[in-house]
Amino acid sequence: MVVVYIGIGANLGDPRAAVMAAIDECRAIERTQLSGVSSLYRSAPIDSSGPDYVNAVVEAETALTPLELLASLQQIEARHGRLRPYPNAPRSLDLDVLMYDQQIIDLPDLTVPHPRMHERSFVLMPLLELAPRVEIPGRGIAEHWLASVADQAIERLPA
């Protein structure tokens, strides 16, 4: 089993309901057990348009390979009507493998750690809530990146 972090976000339809449903569906991924769920956060789109996003991060232990985990996450997205009409398009649901243990993975369909996670407050804030001392492979201690995203508006939502 390896520890993984999965980013969850949505900004179309009822994004809060979509994120909560995705968290529940992550609990059902085979050979995977959730070990932590962050609070929900609202953030403005970055390099995109549309309404604000609702985001969260889950921590899990999995026996799936990185590509098997990605396939499971893409199945959840498909069930929620995820379309990919153009890069950074608004989303009914977005699930990203942020980290897979401390591995650095560079495959045509998967790059881990997520290449922009250290540049996004909507990833760093919920990630650090779950793992305050986590290190991003190849980037260092996640907390050290907070100052560089301080200008990105983010708000923790009430439970």
Side-chain angles (χ1 to χ4, degrees):
M1 299 286 273
V2 298
V3 174
V4 298
Y5 293 95
I6 300 165
I8 304 173
N11 76 331
L12 295 178
D14 184 344
R16 184 182 189 118
V19 169
M20 295 301 292
I23 291 167
D24 286 341
E25 291 179 61
C26 284
R27 292 182 204 285
I29 296 174
E30 66 175 329
R31 299 184 288 150
T32 302
Q33 182 172 1
L34 263 57
S35 50
V37 178
S38 75
S39 301
L40 300 184
Y41 290 80
R42 180 185 1 250
S43 63
I46 297 176
D47 299 332
S48 182
S49 61
D52 285 352
Y53 278 84
V54 172
N55 297 95
V57 170
V58 297
E59 178 183 51
E61 294 180 10
T62 189
L64 298 177
T65 67
L67 290 176
E68 289 171 334
L69 178 61
L70 177 64
S72 294
L73 298 177
Q74 289 176 338
Q75 289 171 0
I76 294 170
E77 289 177 336
R79 286 195 295 272
H80 286 264
R82 168 75 189 266
L83 301 175
R84 299 172 194 273
Y86 54 90
N88 298 322
R91 302 168 175 127
S92 55
L93 186 63
D94 185 30
L95 298 168
D96 290 317
V97 179
L98 300 174
M99 293 173 52
Y100 185 92
D101 199 35
Q102 285 292 304
Q103 293 186 31
I104 295 176
I105 301 166
D106 189 10
L107 299 171
D109 295 328
L110 180 64
T111 302
V112 176
H114 190 282
R116 291 172 306 285
M117 67 180 284
H118 64 287
E119 300 171 351
R120 305 293 194 240
S121 64
F122 64 81
V123 172
L124 290 173
M125 296 297 290
L127 175 65
L128 289 166
E129 179 184 325
L130 291 174
R133 292 176 177 78
V134 70
E135 291 191 30
I136 302 170
R139 299 279 182 199
I141 298 169
E143 183 179 34
H144 293 173
W145 291 96
L146 283 177
S148 68
V149 300
D151 62 329
Q152 297 174 12
I154 186 166
E155 162 190 17
R156 186 187 317 208
L157 296 174

